Amino acid sequence: MTDSITGMSISDVAERTGLSTHTLRYYEREGLMLSPVQRASSSHRRYSEADLTWVVFLTRLRSTAMPIAGMRRYVELARQGEATTAERLELLLVHRMTVARQLEEMTASLAAIDHKIGLYEQAASTTKKAKSNA
């Protein structure tokens, strides 16, 4: 019997997103999918392209350290439709400010590390020259 529901398997989505199947199931259990993932008659998950696009967006939110609770709130608002556009915008703007602040901190930390590397490279070069002159 052929399934009438087509789409990607959970392993296909895991491969395409770099997430584990465990993480994909977790996102579903936590209510983070915009709409329920379809099931084939075999009860296996079948992800659509829209599901994949949504998972990629969730991945971006997580990679910028958005808490699951914030993601859940965003999903709840998105499910309510256009009436929540302003609230979703505000949520993302606040998160963007947090990410920008973290990026500034990381950039400053990287500069400090680069400075220290430069000092060590200079010291190593001086030591190498002194040994070759001896």
Side-chain angles (χ1 to χ4, degrees):
M1 180 173 152
T2 305
D3 281 323
S4 60
I5 298 176
T6 60
M8 294 168 274
S9 69
I10 194 168
S11 59
D12 292 336
V13 174
E15 184 176 321
R16 288 182 65 179
T17 61
L19 298 173
S20 68
T21 57
H22 174 79
T23 299
L24 291 167
R25 288 186 194 100
Y26 173 76
Y27 282 179
E28 195 174 340
R29 274 193 319 273
E30 289 298 311
L32 297 177
M33 295 303 293
L34 193 54
S35 58
V37 175
Q38 295 294 310
R39 301 283 184 144
S41 62
S42 62
S43 81
H44 291 106
R45 290 169 176 83
R46 303 307 297 172
Y47 291 81
S48 67
E49 284 295 326
D51 293 329
L52 176 65
T53 299
W54 185 254
V55 168
V56 169
F57 180 64
L58 291 175
T59 302
R60 298 286 185 241
L61 294 177
R62 281 302 293 153
S63 72
T64 57
M66 179 179 269
I68 293 294
M71 293 169 64
R72 192 177 296 115
R73 178 68 181 142
Y74 183 86
V75 172
E76 290 167 0
L77 292 170
R79 286 184 189 138
Q80 293 173 32
E82 292 196 27
T84 65
T85 298
E87 290 174 85
R88 285 181 277 156
L89 173 61
E90 180 66 21
L91 191 149
L92 291 176
L93 286 171
V94 168
H95 183 62
R96 186 187 188 288
M97 288 187 307
T98 300
V99 171
R101 187 175 57 253
Q102 291 170 341
L103 186 55
E104 288 171 3
E105 291 170 6
M106 290 297 285
T107 300
S109 295
L110 181 60
I113 291 167
D114 286 343
H115 175 73
K116 192 60 96 170
I117 287 171
L119 293 174
Y120 287 136
E121 286 175 339
Q122 186 179 14
S125 175
T126 302
T127 302
K128 186 177 179 181
K129 285 180 188 176
K131 285 184 181 179
S132 67
N133 288 338

